[in-house]
């Protein structure tokens, strides 16, 4: 059953539509400001709240899961960038290891506003996700939308929530040198050198590249003389030798997760 | 943990279902099994030699399975290929503890309601067939050639989604494998990552 809830914020007439579905989650479109400026960008975010005990999925869902997908329905000239997924956690769906989120996840997305935009506009998207717990999975979908007037970009009530998520988004690092070698036993050795100030001992690797590394065990980095290393089982569905690999590295000693890329020379 | 109940379940399954110790590797002999199907008929892989066999892991409570049944995609595959002499076995490896378990009568009823055209239904409650094949998800599909060699292990198709809309544009790996085997040609895609809900062992 669809249940729409509208919240009108005083005279600003900012309207958020909430759509509950049977996907054990709720999704909303949040905006950083109460108004938009023509020709500028507008920071938005998709907030998904999963029911207790249920989890949804990251860009690499791991085994069995499914990516959250969005299809925008924006006024002419408006455009949306990609969803910027925060650092996931490792979840288990029964015996399947996957990467995703429990509770609330705030996923920033940057909108661009055309120079000729004017008046109240309705921003809308259809979001589809999969939520799973130990016993089962349920797909969910929702139309998320917001109506926003032109104006002086006054901060909304969600400003700090979205800013906090933006501040914690994984950041690309091209200074750390990544070496990836396949051992004779079929394992993958990931070695990080030139790590500078980063203490990556016990930091966890989340493979962004799908079907490259085996998700069955958590992938932890260990200190070695030249830097940090993880020896990982290759994903059983990897076809041929790895050609490229993108990794997210997160850990307690890192203020912000880092994204590392490797390409076979 | 071994409880009296588990022990009993293990003993019962040992009587009704036997499985060889092979693991499921494409190009090698598919793990042998023999079991009673939901209607009480004896099914063994050895007795099906000379026929192409499809194993379909199933749980009607899973939205990925629901996608392929609500769209009739699975039933059409079953009908089309059993019409060409393929033996199609639908297996549910949900344990009693999982909440997704179906007994024989319920399995038959659910399958009939959905218009399943499978040749056999097997309630693999102990999970021995599922584990022998390494069945991970529902659906997870296996195709065995006439010699009893595993020819395909993986997803039903190329679109990891619960949406019915994407079926038409998906590459159906099972149909591709079956068409190749029927034509006496090599199977092009032999292993893919299965997608779906986890098998509820």
């Amino acid at each position: 059953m669809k249940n729409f809830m509208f919240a009108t914020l005083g005279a600003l007439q900012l309207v958020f539509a909430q759509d509950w579905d049977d996907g054990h989650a709720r999704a909303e479109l949040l905006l950083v400001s109460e108004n938009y400026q023509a020709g500028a960008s507008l920071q938005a975010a998709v907030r998904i709240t999963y029911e207790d005990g249920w989890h949804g999925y990251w860009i690499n869902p791991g085994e069995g899961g499914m990516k959250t997908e969005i299809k925008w329905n924006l006024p002419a000239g408006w455009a949306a960038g990609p969803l910027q997924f925060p650092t996931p956690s490792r979840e288990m769906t029964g015996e399947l290891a996957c990467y995703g989120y429990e509770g609330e996840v705030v996923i920033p997305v940057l909108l661009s506003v055309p120079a000729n935009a004017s008046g109240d506009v309705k921003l809308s998207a259809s979001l589809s996700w999969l939520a799973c717990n130990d016993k089962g999975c349920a797909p969910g979908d929702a139309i998320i939308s917001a109506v926003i007037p032109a104006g002086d970009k006054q901060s909304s009530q969600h400003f700090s929530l979205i800013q906090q998520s933006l501040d914690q988004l994984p950041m690309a690092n091209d200074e750390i040198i990544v070496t990836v070698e396949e051992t004779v036993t079929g394992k993958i050795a990931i070695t990080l050198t030139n790590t500078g100030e980063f203490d990556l001992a016990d930091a966890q690797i989340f493979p962004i590249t799908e079907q490259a590394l085996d998700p069955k065990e958590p992938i932890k980095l260990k200190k070695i003389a030249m830097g940090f290393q993880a020896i990982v089982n290759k994903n059983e569905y990897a076809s041929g030798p790895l050609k490229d690999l993108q990794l997210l590295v997160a850990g307690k000693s890192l203020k912000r997760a880092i994204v590392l890329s490797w390409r076979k020379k | 943990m071994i409880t009296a109940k588990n022990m009993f379940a293990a003993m019962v399954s040992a009587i009704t279902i036997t499985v060889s110790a092979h693991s499921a590797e494409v190009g090698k002999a598919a793990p042998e099994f023999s079991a009673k199907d939901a209607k009480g008929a004896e099914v063994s892989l050895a007795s099906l030699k000379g026929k192409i066999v499809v194993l379909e892991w199933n749980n009607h409570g899973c939205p990925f399975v629901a996608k392929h049944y609500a769209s009739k995609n699975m039933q059409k595959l079953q009908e089309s290929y059993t019409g060409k002499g393929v033996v199609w076995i639908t297996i549910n490896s949900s344990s009693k503890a999982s909440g997704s378990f179906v007994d024989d009568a319920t399995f038959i009823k659910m399958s009939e309601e959905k218009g399943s055209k499978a040749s056999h239904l097997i309630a693999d409650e102990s999970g021995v067939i599922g584990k022998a094949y390494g069945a991970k998800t529902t659906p997870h599909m296996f195709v065995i050639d006439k010699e009893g060699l595993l020819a395909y292990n993986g997803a039903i198709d190329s679109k990891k989604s619960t949406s019915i809309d994407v079926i038409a544009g998906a590459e159906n790996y099972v149909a591709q494998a079956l068409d190749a085997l029927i034509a006496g040609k090599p199977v092009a895609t032999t292993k893919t990552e299965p997608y779906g809900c986890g098998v509820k062992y």
Side-chain angles (χ1 to χ4, degrees), chain A residues 186-256:
Chain A
K187 299 220 173 204
I188 310 274
I190 301 169
T191 311
L192 308 182
T193 53
N194 198 35
T195 47
E197 299 293 299
F198 289 107
D199 176 13
L200 301 176
D202 292 329
Q204 197 171 345
I205 289 179
F206 298 91
I208 296 171
T209 309
E210 291 181 71
Q211 297 183 5
L213 308 181
D214 187 345
K216 279 184 195 74
E217 299 294 330
I219 306 169
K220 290 269 178 84
L221 284 163
K222 285 189 181 131
K223 179 88 186 95
I224 56 166
M226 58 205 287
F228 299 90
Q229 190 174 58
I231 313 276
V232 194
N233 285 325
K234 193 172 176 177
N235 189 297
E236 64 172 307
Y237 303 105
S239 52
L242 297 185
K243 293 186 190 80
D244 50 61
L245 192 59
Q246 234 192 346
L247 307 167
L248 185 153
V249 180
K252 281 183 192 139
S253 56
L254 288 171
K255 273 189 197 151
R256 202 168 172 170

